[in-house]
Amino acid sequence: MFTPLNLAAITAAAFLASFAPGRRPRNLGLLAASCLFYAAWDWRFLPLLFVSAGTDYLCALGMRASSDDSVRKRLLLTSLAVNLSILGFFKYFNFFAAGLADLLGTFGFHASAPALDLVLPLGISFYTFRTLSYTLDVYSGRLEATDDFLDYALFVTFFPLIAAGPIVRAADLLPQLSRAGGRRPGWAGEGLHLVFWGVFEKVFIADNLARISGPVFSGGEAAGAAALAGVYAFAFQLYFDFDGYSNIAKGVCRLLGFDTADNFRLPYLSSNAVEFWERWHISLSSWLRDYVFMPAAMAMRGFGNRSAAAAALLTFTLCGLWHGAAWTFVLWGAYHGALAAGYRLARPHLALLPKPGGAAAAPLRRALAVLVFFHALCLGWVLFRAGSVSSAFSVLRALASAGSAPAAGTFMKLAFFLAVPAAAQFWQAKRGDLMAVYRAPVPARAAFYFLCSCLLVIFGAKEAQEFIYFQF
Amino acid sequence: MDGWDSFSHVTLVLAIEARFGVRFSQKELLSFRNVGDIAACLEKKAAG
């Protein structure tokens, strides 16, 4: 099972293995560590990883060997069918079986849905998309198929990325795995900084905010401002939970000598849905953009310039379904699709509107747009967090009602837990550099680490909670 | 590019298809990483 001790032991062993002389010994060591990591969660699902890895490895080799496009297409469809069937079975069987039974019920046929007691394999949504990026890119000619199954198996099982991504593309990681060395000076320091900051985001910020948001979403009595504080708390809890995980993952990759792209770029400073998705869970949004949105938009050419809006609606709805087999996620996705499509259809008209205050007031107008859009996001997070659609409506009703309980104390707590990250993000935004804190002068950095360590020790949540995105 | 996003990309590809009277396949669309890739694909279509 996962315990901090065995995770630390596996990471330490992988760190040592990453210095092994030569690519094969290093990759063998890292593959062994990755398999141990997955087995520590549940060894029974380890073979599933190798079914996905083996299928895509062979399909890609087949595509490389054939110049016949129909053969290549069949191999791509095989890869898609195998991977999406496994994902569909484990993640969506109960959802669609219940949906079908409900549908039959509306036509007067009473069927009881077979509900299977399925355990969702850890990281299945993430590694499925990661391995599919390989066959899709080999099919399109963007990427050369690899001969080496060791490299490919390591790419699919790589433990820093397995539990909740980021969904690093094969084109970005495989070339790094396929060569020896590549570690750059300074990566160890950056990696340690990212791991430290990620732990701080999770244990000090997210887990403490969970205690504020939890009661609002579990049938609590909070209403009005108190409910609003709970929704704000969840918005930041989710962000710092997932950003924390992503920073730890990126930091561990750096420590092992590999580079991965950023998964978040200060997303709550976005002023509209299109910008938000360029800064939030970037590895997923860019995957969906390239492999779902673009093909869907072009398949819907008949709608003319509206094809992109229709494709956005479809893509975001699927994005919601990717997060979980529940109507709340589907509605959350559709809501974001409507926000993105609506914004892009309105953008040419918005550009013609008068700009109060002229150029001098542009930062103020931007700040206002960010604030308004943040509240639109919060509405979506209610759907995302609520256990059911009716529960989401209960929270929305609580938001709209006048609460009698004082909420000033809750807002003070929010401000306390968010003061350090707000200052850090202000500095990052000002410098245009997500590593700005790491690159600050040594005395400032030392003070920052000291302050964060004190906050972690004194106020860090004592009961460790699982990362939210592990459930997806 | 400021203001450029995936919607702009779709609009550009649709405009190119209309202007040059071509139709890109899904495979070709997947392979486009930049404007140079689109230009190379157009040249290939014109040649053959």
Side-chain angles (χ1 to χ4, degrees):
Chain A
M1 61 178 293
F2 277 150
T3 65
L5 197 64
N6 64 25
L7 292 187
I10 290 169
T11 307
F15 183 66
L16 289 177
S18 72
F19 286 97
R23 176 180 62 85
R24 287 193 73 80
R26 179 199 65 187
N27 287 0
L28 266 175
L30 292 177
L31 180 63
S34 298
C35 291
L36 269 176
F37 182 92
Y38 207 78
W41 171 73
D42 194 331
W43 61 269
R44 293 171 302 168
F45 293 106
L46 194 54
L48 265 186
L49 277 172
F50 283 89
V51 168
S52 288
T55 302
D56 289 348
Y57 170 76
L58 293 172
C59 285
L61 281 184
M63 284 186 223
R64 192 179 68 178
S66 174
S67 53
D68 183 340
D69 201 49
S70 66
V71 172
R72 291 167 60 83
K73 197 175 270 180
R74 271 202 295 275
L75 287 164
L76 175 66
L77 290 175
T78 304
S79 159
L80 288 167
V82 169
N83 284 291
L84 295 179
S85 300
I86 295 172
L87 178 65
F89 176 71
F90 281 99
K91 192 160 178 171
Y92 302 107
F93 181 85
N94 287 343
F95 178 66
F96 285 115
L100 186 63
D102 287 347
L103 187 67
L104 289 173
T106 58
F107 291 105
F109 301 102
H110 294 289
S112 58
L116 300 181
D117 188 17
L118 295 170
V119 176
L120 190 65
L122 180 71
I124 189 167
S125 309
F126 295 91
Y127 76 70
T128 299
F129 273 29
R130 194 160 64 241
T131 188
L132 282 178
S133 80
Y134 175 65
T135 41
L136 284 161
D137 282 356
V138 170
Y139 172 72
S140 70
R142 270 186 185 180
L143 184 65
E144 187 73 18
T146 179
D147 286 315
D148 197 320
F149 184 66
L150 171 62
D151 292 355
Y152 192 68
L154 177 57
F155 163 70
V156 177
T157 61
F158 195 42
F159 80 94
L161 311 174
I162 193 74
I167 307 167
V168 178
R169 307 271 185 99
D172 296 324
L173 188 57
L174 254 184
Q176 297 185 66
L177 298 174
S178 303
R179 65 168 185 256
R183 193 190 302 266
R184 291 195 192 151
W187 274 9
E190 289 179 15
L192 284 174
H193 170 81
L194 287 166
V195 171
F196 175 82
W197 180 241
V199 169
F200 181 80
E201 286 179 292
K202 169 68 177 158
V203 178
F204 175 71
I205 310 170
D207 286 355
N208 278 313
L209 294 183
R211 289 194 278 193
I212 301 174
S213 67
V216 175
F217 287 94
S218 49
E221 299 297 312
L228 185 65
V231 173
Y232 284 163
F234 178 69
F236 289 108
Q237 176 202 345
L238 180 70
Y239 169 47
F240 286 110
D241 191 283
F242 198 18
D243 190 52
Y245 167 83
S246 299
N247 278 328
I248 293 171
K250 185 181 171 79
V252 172
C253 285
R254 283 274 166 100
L255 287 170
L256 299 178
F258 304 103
D259 190 27
T260 56
D262 294 310
N263 211 18
F264 291 89
R265 281 199 301 260
L266 313 180
Y268 284 158
L269 298 181
S270 307
S271 62
N272 61 71
V274 175
E275 186 187 355
F276 175 75
W277 282 100
E278 287 169 354
R279 304 169 77 154
W280 176 277
H281 200 176
I282 299 164
S283 62
L284 173 67
S285 59
S286 59
W287 196 102
L288 290 170
R289 177 197 66 206
D290 291 350
Y291 303 125
V292 180
F293 171 77
M294 282 302 297
M298 297 314 293
M300 292 191 263
R301 286 173 175 87
F303 290 104
N305 284 338
R306 303 229 163 147
S307 66
L313 269 177
L314 173 73
T315 305
F316 278 108
T317 305
L318 289 174
C319 172
L321 196 59
W322 176 90
H323 280 80
W327 284 110
T328 46
F329 288 120
V330 174
L331 289 173
W332 170 78
Y335 172 68
H336 271 269
L339 285 179
Y343 168 74
R344 271 314 252 110
L345 290 175
R347 197 169 81 169
H349 309 289
L350 293 174
L352 299 175
L353 291 175
K355 308 273 186 294
L364 193 65
R365 287 199 301 272
R366 162 106 192 153
L368 192 65
V370 167
L371 193 67
V372 170
F373 180 67
F374 176 73
H375 286 82
L377 282 175
C378 284
L379 276 181
W381 293 140
V382 171
L383 278 168
F384 190 95
R385 172 64 175 81
S388 63
V389 176
S390 62
S391 165
F393 278 107
S394 299
V395 175
L396 291 176
R397 272 195 299 273
L399 281 172
S401 63
S404 54
T410 314
F411 278 104
M412 290 291 282
K413 275 190 199 167
L414 267 180
F416 174 71
F417 290 119
L418 294 175
V420 171
Q425 295 214 344
F426 174 76
W427 186 245
Q428 290 171 317
K430 190 172 162 59
R431 303 300 295 252
D433 177 10
L434 291 178
M435 293 298 282
V437 174
Y438 178 72
R439 288 188 243 283
V442 172
R445 201 153 36 117
F448 176 80
Y449 291 138
F450 179 72
L451 172 67
C452 290
S453 302
C454 291
L455 290 171
L456 261 179
V457 171
I458 301 168
F459 299 104
K462 300 296 180 281
E463 288 169 14
Q465 296 186 32
E466 200 168 73
F467 286 99
I468 294 172
Y469 265 69
F470 276 22
Q471 66 185 294
F472 303 139
Chain B
M1 195 189 299
D2 194 29
W4 188 266
D5 56 29
S6 44
F7 282 71
S8 319
H9 189 75
V10 170
T11 308
L12 173 73
V13 173
L14 286 177
I16 290 172
E17 283 191 340
R19 173 70 181 81
F20 291 94
V22 295
R23 195 177 166 97
F24 297 117
S25 68
Q26 291 289 1
K27 185 181 165 190
E28 287 164 341
L29 290 164
L30 272 174
S31 70
F32 293 158
R33 280 167 296 194
N34 48 47
V35 178
D37 288 343
I38 302 177
C41 185
L42 275 177
E43 280 174 7
K44 204 169 139 193
K45 281 182 182 292

